[in-house]
Amino acid sequence: MEQLQHALSEQVKTHPFTPQSPTITAFRAEMPAVGSLLPWLKGQATFPQYYLNFRDSARCIAAIGKVRSFSSEISAQEFVRQTDLLVVGGLTFDKRATFWLPRMVLEQTDNKLYATLYADGAQNPQSERQAALDAIKTLSNSTALSPVRQPLRIDTQKADENRWCAWVKKAVNAIERGDFTKVVLANETGFVASNPIDGKDFLAESEKQNTGCYHFLYAENPQRTFVGSTPERLFARHNGSIQTEALAGTAAMSEDPIQNQREAAWLLSDPKNDNENLLVVQDICDNLANYVRRLEVGEVGLKQLRRVQHLRRRIQAELKPPFSDAACLQAIHPTAAVSGLPQKKALDFLKNTENFDRTWYAGTLGVMTKNHSEFCVTIRSAFIESNKIRVFAGAGIVAGSVPLLEWREIERKASGLLTLLTHHGE
């Protein structure tokens, strides 16, 4: 990292910081790739901290600090259009927006590590120069990752098996009455570990085991970290082209490849799961209709993970000018894969049934730039607070859903994170 430090320091020292300039200055340097960015992020004391390892490309971003913040996706998009700079953040499940321009961004892609440091000309020149130099010093901060396995005991559970089954029966009854066609119920379970859990260690272990996922971390402060490994893309945009997907319908995965093939064959031929997936497809297509042209839906396929496998249909479209990321976020999030259909009635049901606030669970996190943006759906996620971890899992309820089978499904989904901490069989 010395190479980056030296290059950035020279740029900052020679830059003429002028009073009350409205512009943001980006200082950039690059070097060969270094491996995981999580040890660097673990060594940082500056917040907020942000991390996104992309699902379908060898691209990873780690960021610290905040130079500008935006309380809506529209203001974030407008800033990106005017400046051609990178903004990170997203929306909670109930669409509360949090976006910001970080102080320092490390991006690793194509065997290169790019460091970008931002300075705000609207701030005091002396203090902004010092803030930039202080951020450069953090490049030498790195803390080795540690193993995360340790005993866990259950602490709190928003719904035990009986309550969950009652929720599902209530949902199925509402579906039979015609209130809605699908609703996605979720559960939150809290555990206590014997020692504090470090979110970066936890995510590094998840990256090893939960392949084929986006891996994300967001820590607004040192006390609480939101972390997860999600298989689901909300959307990716390249100029005016967007790609999204319907990921819904679930079967088990195990260490037995023959059994996995049987489960896959069943999943691909099961009408209940196919219907659940098609409802998500229809919802996304309907919500995007006013913003896109040439919308195409691909054939059904499988997305196989460590503990579960899902039905997936890919969706592609061309955005009509002037629509961009804000329109996509508003139209697609939250999809029927995490909320239900029709959305308003499903959300009303969840508000009157679930006994917790999802906040960032089933929200969306990503990056926004002028030409490329990408957001994931923040499922398979947890909050870590010292030695406590709260894990979330959800299941789509449609006509014919069996409460006990839905319970087993959310247990399997939660195990994708919990088994990173516990030994086999615990």
Side-chain angles (χ1 to χ4, degrees), residues 45-328:
T46 302
F47 289 83
Q49 297 182 353
Y50 188 81
Y51 178 88
L52 184 60
N53 194 346
F54 292 77
R55 186 188 70 182
D56 297 338
S57 62
R59 184 187 182 199
C60 184
I61 285 173
I64 59 169
K66 184 186 291 184
V67 173
R68 293 264 180 103
S69 55
F70 312 93
S71 58
S72 77
E73 58 272 34
I74 295 171
S75 59
Q77 175 185 277
E78 201 51 41
F79 174 82
V80 165
R81 276 180 166 168
Q82 291 173 4
T83 63
D84 198 15
L85 301 178
L86 176 143
V87 162
V88 302
L91 305 177
T92 60
F93 177 71
D94 60 357
K95 294 197 168 190
R96 285 170 285 173
T98 302
F99 290 94
W100 70 100
L101 175 72
R103 174 66 71 184
M104 172 80 77
V105 179
L106 296 188
E107 179 172 357
Q108 196 151 260
T109 184
D110 300 327
N111 297 314
K112 290 272 191 178
L113 176 63
Y114 302 90
T116 307
L117 171 69
Y118 296 105
D120 190 349
Q123 304 301 317
N124 176 275
Q126 287 75 27
S127 61
E128 199 63 4
R129 187 192 298 274
Q130 190 56 53
L133 292 170
D134 290 343
I136 292 168
K137 292 176 187 174
T138 69
L139 287 167
S140 59
N141 298 346
S142 183
T143 302
L145 299 171
S146 303
V148 292
R149 288 201 182 277
Q150 55 176 308
L152 283 182
R153 65 174 173 83
I154 194 164
D155 182 36
T156 58
Q157 196 168 38
K158 296 302 182 182
D160 59 12
E161 184 179 314
N162 289 334
R163 177 174 279 183
W164 173 264
C165 288
W167 286 359
V168 175
K169 287 174 187 172
K170 179 183 172 185
V172 171
N173 289 338
I175 290 166
E176 288 173 352
R177 284 197 308 269
D179 295 356
F180 42 80
T181 52
K182 174 184 178 179
V183 69
V184 183
L185 283 165
N187 197 16
E188 176 194 309
T189 308
F191 296 85
V192 177
S194 50
N195 298 299
I197 304 164
D198 188 282
K200 288 85 174 180
D201 294 335
F202 184 81
L203 193 58
E205 187 64 27
S206 188
E207 285 182 332
K208 287 181 205 167
Q209 298 197 39
N210 292 313
T211 55
C213 292
Y214 293 91
H215 305 281
F216 58 87
L217 181 148
Y218 169 42
E220 190 175 0
N221 55 55
Q223 285 74 47
R224 188 173 77 160
T225 301
F226 182 60
V227 64
S229 296
T230 176
E232 188 170 356
R233 168 185 284 168
L234 186 72
F235 73 89
R237 177 185 61 81
H238 176 66
N239 293 319
S241 301
I242 65 161
Q243 294 181 327
T244 180
E245 63 193 25
L247 196 75
T250 305
M253 284 283 283
S254 66
E255 295 176 4
D256 181 348
I258 295 172
Q259 180 61 25
N260 291 340
Q261 286 178 5
R262 288 197 199 102
E263 290 282 344
W266 169 80
L267 183 59
L268 285 165
S269 61
D270 180 57
K272 179 258 182 189
N273 279 287
D274 192 54
N275 177 53
E276 185 183 337
N277 187 273
L278 285 170
L279 288 173
V280 178
V281 171
Q282 192 62 51
D283 180 53
I284 291 172
C285 292
D286 288 348
N287 290 336
L288 279 175
N290 291 332
Y291 306 106
V292 302
R293 56 175 176 256
R294 293 200 297 275
L295 198 147
E296 299 173 10
V297 179
E299 295 295 316
V300 68
L302 291 172
K303 175 67 178 171
Q304 295 185 311
L305 304 165
R306 187 165 63 98
R307 310 290 288 197
V308 293
Q309 50 189 319
H310 300 292
L311 293 179
R312 175 169 65 179
R313 285 178 170 92
R314 299 178 188 270
I315 302 166
Q316 297 185 73
E318 292 292 321
L319 284 166
K320 297 176 185 173
F323 299 120
S324 191
D325 301 320
C328 293

